[in-house]
Structure formats: C-alpha cells, structure tokens
PDB file of all heavy atoms in Angstrom:
ATOM      1  N   THR A  27     -33.288   2.740 153.876  1.00 98.00           N
ATOM      2  CA  THR A  27     -32.802   4.045 154.318  1.00 98.00           C
ATOM      3  C   THR A  27     -31.450   4.315 153.697  1.00 98.00           C
ATOM      4  O   THR A  27     -30.641   3.398 153.537  1.00 98.00           O
ATOM      5  CB  THR A  27     -32.682   4.075 155.845  1.00 98.00           C
ATOM      6  OG1 THR A  27     -33.985   3.925 156.419  1.00 98.00           O
ATOM      7  CG2 THR A  27     -32.079   5.375 156.327  1.00 98.00           C
ATOM      8  N   ILE A  28     -31.213   5.580 153.374  1.00 98.00           N
ATOM      9  CA  ILE A  28     -29.894   6.014 152.908  1.00 98.00           C
ATOM     10  C   ILE A  28     -29.528   7.290 153.667  1.00 98.00           C
ATOM     11  O   ILE A  28     -30.317   8.222 153.735  1.00 98.00           O
ATOM     12  CB  ILE A  28     -29.857   6.198 151.371  1.00 98.00           C
ATOM     13  CG1 ILE A  28     -28.449   6.524 150.899  1.00 98.00           C
ATOM     14  CG2 ILE A  28     -30.868   7.247 150.901  1.00 98.00           C
ATOM     15  CD1 ILE A  28     -28.271   6.363 149.392  1.00 98.00           C
ATOM     16  N   THR A  29     -28.335   7.305 154.239  1.00 97.00           N
ATOM     17  CA  THR A  29     -27.907   8.455 155.023  1.00 97.00           C
ATOM     18  C   THR A  29     -27.319   9.537 154.126  1.00 97.00           C
ATOM     19  O   THR A  29     -27.187   9.373 152.912  1.00 97.00           O
ATOM     20  CB  THR A  29     -26.852   8.052 156.055  1.00 97.00           C
ATOM     21  OG1 THR A  29     -25.645   7.707 155.347  1.00 97.00           O
ATOM     22  CG2 THR A  29     -27.308   6.868 156.888  1.00 97.00           C
ATOM     23  N   ASN A  30     -26.917  10.649 154.764  1.00 94.00           N
ATOM     24  CA  ASN A  30     -26.304  11.736 154.005  1.00 94.00           C
ATOM     25  C   ASN A  30     -24.936  11.328 153.465  1.00 94.00           C
ATOM     26  O   ASN A  30     -24.444  11.928 152.514  1.00 94.00           O
ATOM     27  CB  ASN A  30     -26.197  12.995 154.848  1.00 94.00           C
ATOM     28  CG  ASN A  30     -25.374  12.791 156.110  1.00 94.00           C
ATOM     29  OD1 ASN A  30     -25.313  11.688 156.638  1.00 94.00           O
ATOM     30  ND2 ASN A  30     -24.749  13.836 156.584  1.00 94.00           N
ATOM     31  N   THR A  31     -24.324  10.287 154.034  1.00 94.00           N
ATOM     32  CA  THR A  31     -23.047   9.779 153.517  1.00 94.00           C
ATOM     33  C   THR A  31     -23.249   8.568 152.609  1.00 94.00           C
ATOM     34  O   THR A  31     -22.290   7.880 152.271  1.00 94.00           O
ATOM     35  CB  THR A  31     -22.118   9.391 154.677  1.00 94.00           C
ATOM     36  OG1 THR A  31     -22.775   8.394 155.479  1.00 94.00           O
ATOM     37  CG2 THR A  31     -21.778  10.597 155.535  1.00 94.00           C
ATOM     38  N   LYS A  32     -24.508   8.301 152.249  1.00 94.00           N
ATOM     39  CA  LYS A  32     -24.892   7.236 151.321  1.00 94.00           C
ATOM     40  C   LYS A  32     -24.717   5.833 151.877  1.00 94.00           C
ATOM     41  O   LYS A  32     -24.618   4.863 151.128  1.00 94.00           O
ATOM     42  CB  LYS A  32     -24.210   7.388 149.958  1.00 94.00           C
ATOM     43  CG  LYS A  32     -24.554   8.703 149.279  1.00 94.00           C
ATOM     44  CD  LYS A  32     -24.091   8.787 147.849  1.00 94.00           C
ATOM     45  CE  LYS A  32     -24.541  10.091 147.208  1.00 94.00           C
ATOM     46  NZ  LYS A  32     -24.100  10.216 145.802  1.00 94.00           N
ATOM     47  N   SER A  33     -24.687   5.720 153.185  1.00 97.00           N
ATOM     48  CA  SER A  33     -24.773   4.407 153.813  1.00 97.00           C
ATOM     49  C   SER A  33     -26.209   3.931 153.728  1.00 97.00           C
ATOM     50  O   SER A  33     -27.143   4.718 153.918  1.00 97.00           O
ATOM     51  CB  SER A  33     -24.332   4.519 155.271  1.00 97.00           C
ATOM     52  OG  SER A  33     -24.506   3.289 155.940  1.00 97.00           O
ATOM     53  N   THR A  34     -26.404   2.646 153.430  1.00 97.00           N
ATOM     54  CA  THR A  34     -27.752   2.141 153.207  1.00 97.00           C
ATOM     55  C   THR A  34     -28.112   1.027 154.178  1.00 97.00           C
ATOM     56  O   THR A  34     -27.241   0.339 154.726  1.00 97.00           O
ATOM     57  CB  THR A  34     -27.909   1.609 151.775  1.00 97.00           C
ATOM     58  OG1 THR A  34     -26.967   0.556 151.559  1.00 97.00           O
ATOM     59  CG2 THR A  34     -27.686   2.709 150.754  1.00 97.00           C
ATOM     60  N   ASN A  35     -29.425   0.873 154.359  1.00 97.00           N
ATOM     61  CA  ASN A  35     -29.938  -0.186 155.212  1.00 97.00           C
ATOM     62  C   ASN A  35     -31.279  -0.628 154.642  1.00 97.00           C
ATOM     63  O   ASN A  35     -32.044   0.211 154.139  1.00 97.00           O
ATOM     64  CB  ASN A  35     -30.118   0.312 156.647  1.00 97.00           C
ATOM     65  CG  ASN A  35     -30.455  -0.809 157.596  1.00 97.00           C
ATOM     66  OD1 ASN A  35     -29.862  -1.880 157.543  1.00 97.00           O
ATOM     67  ND2 ASN A  35     -31.431  -0.584 158.457  1.00 97.00           N
ATOM     68  N   TYR A  36     -31.556  -1.929 154.749  1.00 96.00           N
ATOM     69  CA  TYR A  36     -32.769  -2.479 154.151  1.00 96.00           C
ATOM     70  C   TYR A  36     -33.516  -3.373 155.132  1.00 96.00           C
ATOM     71  O   TYR A  36     -32.902  -4.053 155.960  1.00 96.00           O
ATOM     72  CB  TYR A  36     -32.424  -3.322 152.912  1.00 96.00           C
ATOM     73  CG  TYR A  36     -31.768  -2.556 151.809  1.00 96.00           C
ATOM     74  CD1 TYR A  36     -30.391  -2.417 151.759  1.00 96.00           C
ATOM     75  CD2 TYR A  36     -32.531  -1.952 150.812  1.00 96.00           C
ATOM     76  CE1 TYR A  36     -29.777  -1.697 150.748  1.00 96.00           C
ATOM     77  CE2 TYR A  36     -31.930  -1.241 149.785  1.00 96.00           C
ATOM     78  CZ  TYR A  36     -30.558  -1.121 149.764  1.00 96.00           C
ATOM     79  OH  TYR A  36     -29.965  -0.405 148.750  1.00 96.00           O
ATOM     80  N   ALA A  37     -34.833  -3.407 154.972  1.00 95.00           N
ATOM     81  CA  ALA A  37     -35.602  -4.421 155.670  1.00 95.00           C
ATOM     82  C   ALA A  37     -35.217  -5.784 155.098  1.00 95.00           C
ATOM     83  O   ALA A  37     -34.876  -5.895 153.914  1.00 95.00           O
ATOM     84  CB  ALA A  37     -37.094  -4.172 155.471  1.00 95.00           C
ATOM     85  N   ASP A  38     -35.261  -6.798 155.941  1.00 93.00           N
ATOM     86  CA  ASP A  38     -34.763  -8.120 155.535  1.00 93.00           C
ATOM     87  C   ASP A  38     -35.416  -8.644 154.260  1.00 93.00           C
ATOM     88  O   ASP A  38     -34.755  -9.218 153.394  1.00 93.00           O
ATOM     89  CB  ASP A  38     -34.970  -9.125 156.665  1.00 93.00           C
ATOM     90  CG  ASP A  38     -33.993  -8.906 157.810  1.00 93.00           C
ATOM     91  OD1 ASP A  38     -32.971  -8.223 157.592  1.00 93.00           O
ATOM     92  OD2 ASP A  38     -34.247  -9.423 158.908  1.00 93.00           O
ATOM     93  N   SER A  39     -36.716  -8.437 154.134  1.00 87.00           N
ATOM     94  CA  SER A  39     -37.435  -9.013 152.991  1.00 87.00           C
ATOM     95  C   SER A  39     -37.106  -8.317 151.672  1.00 87.00           C
ATOM     96  O   SER A  39     -37.464  -8.822 150.611  1.00 87.00           O
ATOM     97  CB  SER A  39     -38.941  -8.964 153.243  1.00 87.00           C
ATOM     98  OG  SER A  39     -39.378  -7.634 153.383  1.00 87.00           O
ATOM     99  N   MET A  40     -36.432  -7.173 151.729  1.00 89.00           N
ATOM    100  CA  MET A  40     -36.087  -6.419 150.527  1.00 89.00           C
ATOM    101  C   MET A  40     -34.629  -6.596 150.118  1.00 89.00           C
ATOM    102  O   MET A  40     -34.260  -6.236 149.013  1.00 89.00           O
ATOM    103  CB  MET A  40     -36.343  -4.923 150.734  1.00 89.00           C
ATOM    104  CG  MET A  40     -37.799  -4.529 150.733  1.00 89.00           C
ATOM    105  SD  MET A  40     -38.636  -5.135 152.204  1.00 89.00           S
ATOM    106  CE  MET A  40     -40.111  -4.167 152.239  1.00 89.00           C
ATOM    107  N   LYS A  41     -33.814  -7.138 151.009  1.00 88.00           N
ATOM    108  CA  LYS A  41     -32.392  -7.273 150.710  1.00 88.00           C
ATOM    109  C   LYS A  41     -32.184  -8.125 149.468  1.00 88.00           C
ATOM    110  O   LYS A  41     -32.755  -9.201 149.333  1.00 88.00           O
ATOM    111  CB  LYS A  41     -31.655  -7.890 151.901  1.00 88.00           C
ATOM    112  CG  LYS A  41     -31.525  -6.957 153.083  1.00 88.00           C
ATOM    113  CD  LYS A  41     -30.792  -7.625 154.238  1.00 88.00           C
ATOM    114  CE  LYS A  41     -30.684  -6.682 155.428  1.00 88.00           C
ATOM    115  NZ  LYS A  41     -30.035  -7.329 156.592  1.00 88.00           N
ATOM    116  N   GLY A  42     -31.361  -7.616 148.565  1.00 92.00           N
ATOM    117  CA  GLY A  42     -31.065  -8.329 147.335  1.00 92.00           C
ATOM    118  C   GLY A  42     -32.043  -8.058 146.206  1.00 92.00           C
ATOM    119  O   GLY A  42     -31.755  -8.372 145.056  1.00 92.00           O
ATOM    120  N   ARG A  43     -33.184  -7.473 146.527  1.00 96.00           N
ATOM    121  CA  ARG A  43     -34.175  -7.171 145.489  1.00 96.00           C
ATOM    122  C   ARG A  43     -34.331  -5.669 145.260  1.00 96.00           C
ATOM    123  O   ARG A  43     -34.570  -5.227 144.147  1.00 96.00           O
ATOM    124  CB  ARG A  43     -35.540  -7.753 145.863  1.00 96.00           C
ATOM    125  CG  ARG A  43     -35.583  -9.249 145.979  1.00 96.00           C
ATOM    126  CD  ARG A  43     -37.014  -9.759 146.067  1.00 96.00           C
ATOM    127  NE  ARG A  43     -37.732  -9.221 147.202  1.00 96.00           N
ATOM    128  CZ  ARG A  43     -38.914  -8.586 147.105  1.00 96.00           C
ATOM    129  NH1 ARG A  43     -39.485  -8.420 145.919  1.00 96.00           N
ATOM    130  NH2 ARG A  43     -39.513  -8.143 148.193  1.00 96.00           N
ATOM    131  N   PHE A  44     -34.229  -4.894 146.334  1.00 97.00           N
ATOM    132  CA  PHE A  44     -34.428  -3.444 146.257  1.00 97.00           C
ATOM    133  C   PHE A  44     -33.102  -2.725 146.473  1.00 97.00           C
ATOM    134  O   PHE A  44     -32.260  -3.178 147.254  1.00 97.00           O
ATOM    135  CB  PHE A  44     -35.409  -2.977 147.327  1.00 97.00           C
ATOM    136  CG  PHE A  44     -36.833  -3.418 147.121  1.00 97.00           C
ATOM    137  CD1 PHE A  44     -37.197  -4.324 146.141  1.00 97.00           C
ATOM    138  CD2 PHE A  44     -37.839  -2.916 147.952  1.00 97.00           C
ATOM    139  CE1 PHE A  44     -38.512  -4.718 145.975  1.00 97.00           C
ATOM    140  CE2 PHE A  44     -39.158  -3.310 147.796  1.00 97.00           C
ATOM    141  CZ  PHE A  44     -39.485  -4.217 146.804  1.00 97.00           C
ATOM    142  N   THR A  45     -32.949  -1.592 145.802  1.00 98.00           N
ATOM    143  CA  THR A  45     -31.762  -0.762 145.973  1.00 98.00           C
ATOM    144  C   THR A  45     -32.173   0.696 146.126  1.00 98.00           C
ATOM    145  O   THR A  45     -32.873   1.244 145.266  1.00 98.00           O
ATOM    146  CB  THR A  45     -30.812  -0.890 144.771  1.00 98.00           C
ATOM    147  OG1 THR A  45     -30.447  -2.264 144.597  1.00 98.00           O
ATOM    148  CG2 THR A  45     -29.553  -0.063 145.005  1.00 98.00           C
ATOM    149  N   ILE A  46     -31.747   1.302 147.217  1.00 98.00           N
ATOM    150  CA  ILE A  46     -31.996   2.723 147.433  1.00 98.00           C
ATOM    151  C   ILE A  46     -30.758   3.504 147.028  1.00 98.00           C
ATOM    152  O   ILE A  46     -29.623   3.061 147.254  1.00 98.00           O
ATOM    153  CB  ILE A  46     -32.386   3.007 148.902  1.00 98.00           C
ATOM    154  CG1 ILE A  46     -32.862   4.440 149.073  1.00 98.00           C
ATOM    155  CG2 ILE A  46     -31.247   2.684 149.863  1.00 98.00           C
ATOM    156  CD1 ILE A  46     -33.485   4.720 150.451  1.00 98.00           C
ATOM    157  N   SER A  47     -30.979   4.661 146.431  1.00 98.00           N
ATOM    158  CA  SER A  47     -29.861   5.522 146.034  1.00 98.00           C
ATOM    159  C   SER A  47     -30.335   6.966 146.083  1.00 98.00           C
ATOM    160  O   SER A  47     -31.542   7.232 146.174  1.00 98.00           O
ATOM    161  CB  SER A  47     -29.354   5.158 144.635  1.00 98.00           C
ATOM    162  OG  SER A  47     -30.367   5.333 143.666  1.00 98.00           O
ATOM    163  N   ARG A  48     -29.391   7.878 146.027  1.00 98.00           N
ATOM    164  CA  ARG A  48     -29.743   9.297 146.036  1.00 98.00           C
ATOM    165  C   ARG A  48     -28.817  10.053 145.106  1.00 98.00           C
ATOM    166  O   ARG A  48     -27.657   9.695 144.927  1.00 98.00           O
ATOM    167  CB  ARG A  48     -29.678   9.863 147.453  1.00 98.00           C
ATOM    168  CG  ARG A  48     -28.310   9.908 148.076  1.00 98.00           C
ATOM    169  CD  ARG A  48     -28.392  10.227 149.568  1.00 98.00           C
ATOM    170  NE  ARG A  48     -28.950  11.551 149.820  1.00 98.00           N
ATOM    171  CZ  ARG A  48     -29.429  11.933 151.008  1.00 98.00           C
ATOM    172  NH1 ARG A  48     -29.417  11.091 152.036  1.00 98.00           N
ATOM    173  NH2 ARG A  48     -29.911  13.155 151.171  1.00 98.00           N
ATOM    174  N   ASP A  49     -29.362  11.133 144.553  1.00 97.00           N
ATOM    175  CA  ASP A  49     -28.606  12.063 143.729  1.00 97.00           C
ATOM    176  C   ASP A  49     -28.788  13.429 144.365  1.00 97.00           C
ATOM    177  O   ASP A  49     -29.833  14.079 144.184  1.00 97.00           O
ATOM    178  CB  ASP A  49     -29.116  12.032 142.292  1.00 97.00           C
ATOM    179  CG  ASP A  49     -28.285  12.882 141.352  1.00 97.00           C
ATOM    180  OD1 ASP A  49     -27.599  13.816 141.839  1.00 97.00           O
ATOM    181  OD2 ASP A  49     -28.320  12.635 140.141  1.00 97.00           O
ATOM    182  N   ASN A  50     -27.794  13.860 145.105  1.00 97.00           N
ATOM    183  CA  ASN A  50     -27.922  15.135 145.817  1.00 97.00           C
ATOM    184  C   ASN A  50     -27.958  16.330 144.860  1.00 97.00           C
ATOM    185  O   ASN A  50     -28.536  17.370 145.194  1.00 97.00           O
ATOM    186  CB  ASN A  50     -26.779  15.289 146.815  1.00 97.00           C
ATOM    187  CG  ASN A  50     -26.907  14.333 147.992  1.00 97.00           C
ATOM    188  OD1 ASN A  50     -28.002  13.864 148.315  1.00 97.00           O
ATOM    189  ND2 ASN A  50     -25.793  14.030 148.626  1.00 97.00           N
ATOM    190  N   ALA A  51     -27.380  16.182 143.698  1.00 97.00           N
ATOM    191  CA  ALA A  51     -27.427  17.270 142.721  1.00 97.00           C
ATOM    192  C   ALA A  51     -28.841  17.473 142.189  1.00 97.00           C
ATOM    193  O   ALA A  51     -29.208  18.579 141.783  1.00 97.00           O
ATOM    194  CB  ALA A  51     -26.471  16.984 141.577  1.00 97.00           C
ATOM    195  N   LYS A  52     -29.635  16.402 142.192  1.00 97.00           N
ATOM    196  CA  LYS A  52     -31.014  16.476 141.699  1.00 97.00           C
ATOM    197  C   LYS A  52     -32.032  16.492 142.835  1.00 97.00           C
ATOM    198  O   LYS A  52     -33.238  16.474 142.583  1.00 97.00           O
ATOM    199  CB  LYS A  52     -31.297  15.302 140.770  1.00 97.00           C
ATOM    200  CG  LYS A  52     -30.473  15.313 139.490  1.00 97.00           C
ATOM    201  CD  LYS A  52     -30.855  14.152 138.588  1.00 97.00           C
ATOM    202  CE  LYS A  52     -30.066  14.195 137.284  1.00 97.00           C
ATOM    203  NZ  LYS A  52     -30.420  13.063 136.381  1.00 97.00           N
ATOM    204  N   ASN A  53     -31.556  16.473 144.086  1.00 97.00           N
ATOM    205  CA  ASN A  53     -32.467  16.440 145.241  1.00 97.00           C
ATOM    206  C   ASN A  53     -33.478  15.304 145.121  1.00 97.00           C
ATOM    207  O   ASN A  53     -34.677  15.485 145.377  1.00 97.00           O
ATOM    208  CB  ASN A  53     -33.197  17.772 145.394  1.00 97.00           C
ATOM    209  CG  ASN A  53     -32.299  18.875 145.925  1.00 97.00           C
ATOM    210  OD1 ASN A  53     -31.141  18.631 146.257  1.00 97.00           O
ATOM    211  ND2 ASN A  53     -32.821  20.079 145.977  1.00 97.00           N
ATOM    212  N   THR A  54     -32.986  14.151 144.736  1.00 98.00           N
ATOM    213  CA  THR A  54     -33.876  13.020 144.463  1.00 98.00           C
ATOM    214  C   THR A  54     -33.327  11.741 145.085  1.00 98.00           C
ATOM    215  O   THR A  54     -32.117  11.496 145.035  1.00 98.00           O
ATOM    216  CB  THR A  54     -34.064  12.830 142.955  1.00 98.00           C
ATOM    217  OG1 THR A  54     -34.607  14.029 142.389  1.00 98.00           O
ATOM    218  CG2 THR A  54     -35.015  11.681 142.659  1.00 98.00           C
ATOM    219  N   VAL A  55     -34.231  10.971 145.655  1.00 98.00           N
ATOM    220  CA  VAL A  55     -33.899   9.645 146.148  1.00 98.00           C
ATOM    221  C   VAL A  55     -34.680   8.626 145.318  1.00 98.00           C
ATOM    222  O   VAL A  55     -35.816   8.894 144.902  1.00 98.00           O
ATOM    223  CB  VAL A  55     -34.192   9.504 147.661  1.00 98.00           C
ATOM    224  CG1 VAL A  55     -35.661   9.709 147.966  1.00 98.00           C
ATOM    225  CG2 VAL A  55     -33.713   8.162 148.191  1.00 98.00           C
ATOM    226  N   TYR A  56     -34.056   7.492 145.072  1.00 98.00           N
ATOM    227  CA  TYR A  56     -34.640   6.471 144.208  1.00 98.00           C
ATOM    228  C   TYR A  56     -34.797   5.158 144.964  1.00 98.00           C
ATOM    229  O   TYR A  56     -34.083   4.877 145.922  1.00 98.00           O
ATOM    230  CB  TYR A  56     -33.739   6.228 142.995  1.00 98.00           C
ATOM    231  CG  TYR A  56     -33.455   7.463 142.178  1.00 98.00           C
ATOM    232  CD1 TYR A  56     -32.279   8.179 142.367  1.00 98.00           C
ATOM    233  CD2 TYR A  56     -34.357   7.916 141.227  1.00 98.00           C
ATOM    234  CE1 TYR A  56     -32.001   9.314 141.627  1.00 98.00           C
ATOM    235  CE2 TYR A  56     -34.092   9.046 140.472  1.00 98.00           C
ATOM    236  CZ  TYR A  56     -32.913   9.747 140.687  1.00 98.00           C
ATOM    237  OH  TYR A  56     -32.664  10.867 139.949  1.00 98.00           O
ATOM    238  N   LEU A  57     -35.718   4.352 144.466  1.00 98.00           N
ATOM    239  CA  LEU A  57     -35.842   2.975 144.939  1.00 98.00           C
ATOM    240  C   LEU A  57     -36.007   2.088 143.714  1.00 98.00           C
ATOM    241  O   LEU A  57     -37.052   2.125 143.056  1.00 98.00           O
ATOM    242  CB  LEU A  57     -37.026   2.802 145.884  1.00 98.00           C
ATOM    243  CG  LEU A  57     -37.140   1.410 146.506  1.00 98.00           C
ATOM    244  CD1 LEU A  57     -35.992   1.165 147.488  1.00 98.00           C
ATOM    245  CD2 LEU A  57     -38.482   1.249 147.228  1.00 98.00           C
ATOM    246  N   GLN A  58     -34.963   1.327 143.416  1.00 98.00           N
ATOM    247  CA  GLN A  58     -35.027   0.348 142.333  1.00 98.00           C
ATOM    248  C   GLN A  58     -35.557  -0.956 142.923  1.00 98.00           C
ATOM    249  O   GLN A  58     -34.970  -1.486 143.871  1.00 98.00           O
ATOM    250  CB  GLN A  58     -33.645   0.131 141.718  1.00 98.00           C
ATOM    251  CG  GLN A  58     -33.610  -0.921 140.643  1.00 98.00           C
ATOM    252  CD  GLN A  58     -34.373  -0.515 139.395  1.00 98.00           C
ATOM    253  OE1 GLN A  58     -34.288   0.615 138.938  1.00 98.00           O
ATOM    254  NE2 GLN A  58     -35.137  -1.465 138.831  1.00 98.00           N
ATOM    255  N   MET A  59     -36.647  -1.438 142.347  1.00 98.00           N
ATOM    256  CA  MET A  59     -37.298  -2.642 142.864  1.00 98.00           C
ATOM    257  C   MET A  59     -37.299  -3.710 141.774  1.00 98.00           C
ATOM    258  O   MET A  59     -37.868  -3.493 140.692  1.00 98.00           O
ATOM    259  CB  MET A  59     -38.733  -2.331 143.289  1.00 98.00           C
ATOM    260  CG  MET A  59     -38.824  -1.213 144.312  1.00 98.00           C
ATOM    261  SD  MET A  59     -40.487  -0.988 144.969  1.00 98.00           S
ATOM    262  CE  MET A  59     -41.359  -0.476 143.494  1.00 98.00           C
ATOM    263  N   ASN A  60     -36.647  -4.819 142.053  1.00 97.00           N
ATOM    264  CA  ASN A  60     -36.564  -5.932 141.107  1.00 97.00           C
ATOM    265  C   ASN A  60     -37.238  -7.167 141.696  1.00 97.00           C
ATOM    266  O   ASN A  60     -37.501  -7.240 142.899  1.00 97.00           O
ATOM    267  CB  ASN A  60     -35.107  -6.244 140.785  1.00 97.00           C
ATOM    268  CG  ASN A  60     -34.388  -5.085 140.148  1.00 97.00           C
ATOM    269  OD1 ASN A  60     -34.967  -4.303 139.389  1.00 97.00           O
ATOM    270  ND2 ASN A  60     -33.105  -4.957 140.448  1.00 97.00           N
ATOM    271  N   SER A  61     -37.507  -8.130 140.837  1.00 96.00           N
ATOM    272  CA  SER A  61     -38.114  -9.400 141.270  1.00 96.00           C
ATOM    273  C   SER A  61     -39.338  -9.162 142.139  1.00 96.00           C
ATOM    274  O   SER A  61     -39.490  -9.751 143.216  1.00 96.00           O
ATOM    275  CB  SER A  61     -37.077 -10.247 142.024  1.00 96.00           C
ATOM    276  OG  SER A  61     -35.957 -10.511 141.217  1.00 96.00           O
ATOM    277  N   LEU A  62     -40.200  -8.294 141.669  1.00 97.00           N
ATOM    278  CA  LEU A  62     -41.358  -7.899 142.474  1.00 97.00           C
ATOM    279  C   LEU A  62     -42.327  -9.056 142.672  1.00 97.00           C
ATOM    280  O   LEU A  62     -42.512  -9.909 141.783  1.00 97.00           O
ATOM    281  CB  LEU A  62     -42.058  -6.710 141.829  1.00 97.00           C
ATOM    282  CG  LEU A  62     -41.335  -5.375 142.051  1.00 97.00           C
ATOM    283  CD1 LEU A  62     -41.805  -4.332 141.062  1.00 97.00           C
ATOM    284  CD2 LEU A  62     -41.542  -4.893 143.471  1.00 97.00           C
ATOM    285  N   LYS A  63     -42.944  -9.067 143.851  1.00 96.00           N
ATOM    286  CA  LYS A  63     -43.883 -10.108 144.244  1.00 96.00           C
ATOM    287  C   LYS A  63     -45.233  -9.473 144.555  1.00 96.00           C
ATOM    288  O   LYS A  63     -45.290  -8.287 144.908  1.00 96.00           O
ATOM    289  CB  LYS A  63     -43.366 -10.819 145.493  1.00 96.00           C
ATOM    290  CG  LYS A  63     -41.955 -11.360 145.385  1.00 96.00           C
ATOM    291  CD  LYS A  63     -41.493 -11.901 146.725  1.00 96.00           C
ATOM    292  CE  LYS A  63     -40.051 -12.403 146.651  1.00 96.00           C
ATOM    293  NZ  LYS A  63     -39.586 -12.928 147.964  1.00 96.00           N
ATOM    294  N   PRO A  64     -46.303 -10.237 144.484  1.00 96.00           N
ATOM    295  CA  PRO A  64     -47.619  -9.668 144.837  1.00 96.00           C
ATOM    296  C   PRO A  64     -47.638  -9.057 146.232  1.00 96.00           C
ATOM    297  O   PRO A  64     -48.333  -8.047 146.448  1.00 96.00           O
ATOM    298  CB  PRO A  64     -48.546 -10.880 144.737  1.00 96.00           C
ATOM    299  CG  PRO A  64     -47.914 -11.754 143.708  1.00 96.00           C
ATOM    300  CD  PRO A  64     -46.428 -11.590 143.932  1.00 96.00           C
ATOM    301  N   GLU A  65     -46.884  -9.593 147.162  1.00 95.00           N
ATOM    302  CA  GLU A  65     -46.865  -9.043 148.515  1.00 95.00           C
ATOM    303  C   GLU A  65     -46.121  -7.717 148.614  1.00 95.00           C
ATOM    304  O   GLU A  65     -46.108  -7.091 149.687  1.00 95.00           O
ATOM    305  CB  GLU A  65     -46.260 -10.055 149.504  1.00 95.00           C
ATOM    306  CG  GLU A  65     -44.930 -10.630 149.109  1.00 95.00           C
ATOM    307  CD  GLU A  65     -45.059 -11.971 148.400  1.00 95.00           C
ATOM    308  OE1 GLU A  65     -45.976 -12.126 147.556  1.00 95.00           O
ATOM    309  OE2 GLU A  65     -44.235 -12.859 148.686  1.00 95.00           O
ATOM    310  N   ASP A  66     -45.489  -7.288 147.532  1.00 96.00           N
ATOM    311  CA  ASP A  66     -44.884  -5.953 147.504  1.00 96.00           C
ATOM    312  C   ASP A  66     -45.914  -4.869 147.178  1.00 96.00           C
ATOM    313  O   ASP A  66     -45.596  -3.683 147.205  1.00 96.00           O
ATOM    314  CB  ASP A  66     -43.764  -5.896 146.464  1.00 96.00           C
ATOM    315  CG  ASP A  66     -42.587  -6.781 146.827  1.00 96.00           C
ATOM    316  OD1 ASP A  66     -42.204  -6.804 148.018  1.00 96.00           O
ATOM    317  OD2 ASP A  66     -42.052  -7.457 145.925  1.00 96.00           O
TER     318      ASP A  66
END
C-alpha cells in the first residue's frame, strides 16, 4: 500500500523484494518485483 503522502506498507513476505511507488503526475502506481519466486 502507498498513501497519498507516499507512506508505504508491505506484506511480510514481500518486504525487501517488492517496491510500491506512485507518480501523481501520471496517475500511475507501480509495483517493482525483484527476486521473484514460483509462489509469487
């Protein structure tokens, strides 16, 4: 989750691997996913 002030929160299993971000100028939210596993 990312708030309107860009504070973020992650599920435990995603911490350190996934990054959420937003670009309000583009009305877009992103999820960068690294070190992907089959269970993802």
